[in-house]
């Protein structure tokens, strides 16, 4: 089980990313547009820099929904390899069975 503070920090990052997504997208569009004046682009860069760092989507890390483990997480299930195996062995994931040959 991951530290509760790490999991809470990730939840905070998700909330901030949702909150500032529209504002970040608008500023990035101004910066990327080559037809805007250099002064407007510089102002947009400064405004973007003033937003909280944790509001950037890139700062989020995919964590297991069961254990909070940051590594070995399957994106499709949002579960770590360990939690996925345990749930599959118990038969709690529909259609998934432990292989044997």
């Amino acid at each position: 089980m991951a530290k509760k503070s790490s999991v809470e920090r990730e939840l905070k990052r998700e909330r901030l990313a949702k909150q500032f997504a529209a504002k970040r997208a608008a500023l990035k569009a101004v910066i990327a547009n080559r037809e805007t004046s250099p002064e407007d682009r510089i102002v947009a860069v400064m405004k973007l820099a003033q937003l909280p760092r944790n509001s950037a989507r890139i700062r989020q890390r995919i964590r297991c929904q069961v254990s909070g483990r940051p590594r070995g997480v399957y994106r499709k299930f949002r579960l770590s390899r360990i939690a996925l195996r345990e749930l599959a062995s118990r038969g709690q994931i529909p259609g998934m069975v432990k292989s044997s040959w």
Side-chain angles (χ1 to χ4, degrees):
M1 192 76 184
K3 288 170 53 174
K4 190 164 185 152
S5 61
S6 300
V7 175
E8 290 299 320
R9 190 178 309 126
E10 285 301 320
L11 292 175
K12 181 181 177 184
R13 285 181 180 144
E14 285 180 26
R15 281 195 309 269
L16 283 171
K18 286 179 186 175
Q19 181 181 351
F20 289 98
K23 193 177 235 184
R24 282 184 161 276
L27 289 172
K28 285 188 176 190
V30 170
I31 295 167
N33 187 0
R34 293 287 180 184
E35 300 196 6
T36 57
S37 67
E39 294 83 20
D40 290 341
R41 291 171 75 185
I42 290 172
V43 170
V45 168
M46 297 302 284
K47 285 183 180 178
L48 187 64
Q50 289 175 350
L51 293 178
R53 284 190 176 188
N54 282 335
S55 67
R57 182 121 171 89
I58 195 74
R59 295 196 39 124
Q60 292 178 3
R61 180 146 178 108
I62 299 172
R63 286 188 173 265
C64 175
Q65 294 293 308
V66 174
S67 63
R69 191 173 203 277
R71 296 182 180 224
V73 177
Y74 289 94
R75 290 180 186 204
K76 184 174 183 179
F77 302 108
R78 295 204 38 124
L79 295 171
S80 68
R81 58 187 176 81
I82 299 164
L84 183 72
R85 181 176 176 163
E86 287 176 5
L87 292 174
S89 293
R90 284 192 240 145
Q92 293 181 340
I93 300 177
M96 186 175 277
V97 284
K98 189 177 169 193
S99 70
S100 60
W101 59 92

